[in-house]
Amino acid sequence: MLVLGIETSCDETAAAIVRSDRSIRSNIVYSQIEEHRSFGGVVPEIAARAHLEMIDGVIRRSLEVADVTLTEVDAIAATGGPGLIGGVIVGTMTAKAMALAADKPYLAINHLEGHALTARLTNELEFPYLLLLVSGGHCQLLSVMGPGVYKQLGTTMDDAVGEAFDKTAKMLGLGLPGGPAIEGAAKIGNPKRFNFPRPLKGRTGCDFSFSGLKTAVRQAILNTGSDTLSDDDVNDIAASFQTAVADTIADRCANAISSFNETYPKDKTLVVAGGVAANSELRARLSALCQMTGFRFISPPPALCTDNAAMIAWAGIERLHLGLTSDLNFAPRPRWPLEELATVMS
Ligand code: AMP
Ligand code: MG
């Protein structure tokens, strides 16, 4: 089975062809980062227009690279939410039009489900597993029981962790995207120079909070007393910030592992997904935590952690196996919590 996946929920226009034997035949990602850079963040209106301009070419390229024609594709899967609605509409309308014209099944995929199931594309992995989803818009711990069947163990009370990386990078005068810029600066910085807060660390539960950490960074910048930060200041703040984030997330994950263990004593896998999963300090901390607790640790390669369409095509394959397709009158959803998936899609 071959599925075309389309992803347009934020600032990447992406299309991919994936086979049910888990081979990725093509995975084309056009990043709009240059269009948004001078604004210091993603501008929804610009994103929507850029998706509209790029989508046809990106899809055509995905078919060319995979060396397949649309006729050979078994279904068309596109992100139906959550995300910036302009972009989601572009991807959804394109997928519906192609599905109708080529007489193929159409699947509206929840973007978060795409991230959640990626580990089954890259690894041999059975349900259930514990998932840490850390991206620009989300920070959640979930039990994944099957496509469409998720239980949220914790979520952020304020900012998503990727957002915290991006805002901190902005305060430090580092460019977009913030995560890789912080990680680069942190490599040569001193993580012990600033003792930033570890929000909620030591408390019960699996929720997250990052706004206090962000405020602490702003305060540390003000405390330097100068208008321009030195390279050392920037690198040390980045390193101290990144360590505080990794510490906090590891603490929350330790609680989630205990809680997951109580419900599923035989299933011991932690998967990390989403753009922030590309962070190597976070990966190292989680990998150490898993070793201590006897959990298997899976983190898909960074290119499949950040937004891409291979994960959307794969989620489509998982759903097709269960006979779940979508109606052509599916309405794109700016908000679409994973826990609502079972009721909305069945
Ligand atoms: P996504 O929302 O899944 O597309 O992920 C994008 C988010 O991941 C942005 O907030 C990035 O700053 C963040 N990100 C990407 N790479 C890294 C990294 N190496 N370290 C930390 N955050 C990252
Ligand atoms: Mg994402």
Side-chain angles (χ1 to χ4, degrees):
M1 197 154 60
L2 276 174
V3 171
L4 164 65
I6 298 172
E7 157 60 34
T8 54
S9 69
C10 191
D11 61 340
E12 268 96 22
T13 313
I17 304 283
V18 177
R19 257 175 77 149
S20 46
D21 66 359
R22 304 202 326 219
S23 58
I24 300 174
R25 299 281 300 267
S26 65
N27 188 17
I28 310 298
V29 181
Y30 169 75
S31 165
Q32 304 172 359
I33 196 91
E34 291 309 326
E35 275 102 315
H36 300 286
R37 194 183 295 283
S38 63
F39 300 94
V42 177
V43 184
E45 178 65 23
I46 294 176
R49 285 164 190 261
H51 283 305
L52 194 56
E53 253 170 56
M54 299 307 294
I55 188 102
D56 292 0
V58 167
I59 292 173
R60 192 171 300 126
R61 186 86 192 116
S62 75
L63 290 166
E64 276 167 15
V65 171
D67 195 22
V68 297
T69 61
L70 187 56
T71 330
E72 292 169 275
V73 164
D74 293 290
I76 299 165
T79 299
L84 299 175
I85 196 64
V88 178
I89 290 173
V90 170
T92 298
M93 294 312 292
T94 307
K96 285 181 180 181
M98 289 179 74
L100 189 64
D103 194 21
K104 308 280 179 187
Y106 156 69
L107 296 114
I109 302 296
N110 181 302
H111 176 86
L112 303 174
E113 174 157 83
H115 283 302
L117 300 179
T118 301
R120 283 167 52 85
L121 166 62
T122 57
N123 296 73
E124 286 288 340
L125 175 63
E126 299 294 324
F127 296 115
Y129 51 90
L130 179 61
L131 172 74
L132 169 69
L133 181 55
V134 275
S135 71
H138 303 274
C139 188
Q140 307 178 10
L141 276 155
L142 299 146
S143 298
V144 181
M145 282 84 78
V149 199
Y150 304 89
K151 183 173 186 310
Q152 186 176 289
L153 302 176
T155 186
T156 181
M157 296 155 71
D158 38 61
D159 290 350
V161 60
E163 211 177 332
F165 268 96
D166 292 336
K167 287 179 180 166
T168 298
K170 202 170 176 179
M171 287 191 272
L172 293 176
L174 300 169
L176 270 180
I182 295 266
E183 183 166 4
K187 278 202 175 76
I188 38 176
N190 173 4
K192 298 214 171 89
R193 175 159 157 214
F194 297 92
N195 188 20
F196 290 138
R198 274 67 169 151
L200 300 176
K201 188 174 173 186
R203 304 248 199 110
T204 54
C206 307
D207 284 335
F208 300 86
S209 165
F210 295 101
S211 66
L213 180 53
K214 199 176 60 191
T215 309
V217 169
R218 184 173 298 120
Q219 203 52 50
I221 294 172
L222 291 174
N223 288 349
T224 61
S226 69
D227 286 346
T228 48
L229 295 171
S230 71
D231 286 353
D232 279 348
D233 288 339
V234 169
N235 298 337
D236 295 348
I237 291 173
S240 305
F241 165 82
Q242 184 174 274
T243 299
V245 169
D247 237 18
T248 307
I249 293 182
D251 175 77
R252 310 280 81 205
C253 285
N255 287 359
I257 283 178
S258 310
S259 156
F260 184 82
N261 231 344
E262 275 172 28
T263 320
Y264 304 104
K266 286 199 240 86
D267 300 282
K268 292 180 185 294
T269 303
L270 170 69
V271 172
V272 63
V276 184
N279 186 276
S280 45
E281 182 169 356
L282 180 62
R283 283 178 186 241
R285 287 298 300 273
L286 295 175
S287 164
L289 172 69
C290 283
Q291 234 165 16
M292 261 166 43
T293 50
F295 264 56
R296 175 184 176 204
F297 178 59
I298 298 181
S299 57
L304 293 175
C305 280
T306 49
D307 286 347
N308 67 87
M311 69 179 190
I312 303 302
W314 177 254
I317 289 171
E318 294 251 24
R319 291 197 156 262
L320 274 179
H321 279 317
L322 299 174
L324 299 169
T325 58
S326 305
D327 205 273
L328 282 179
N329 65 18
F330 170 87
R333 297 170 64 104
R335 271 197 78 259
W336 193 3
L338 267 181
E339 284 192 307
E340 280 178 21
L341 213 51
T343 47
V344 174
M345 307 264 324
S346 55

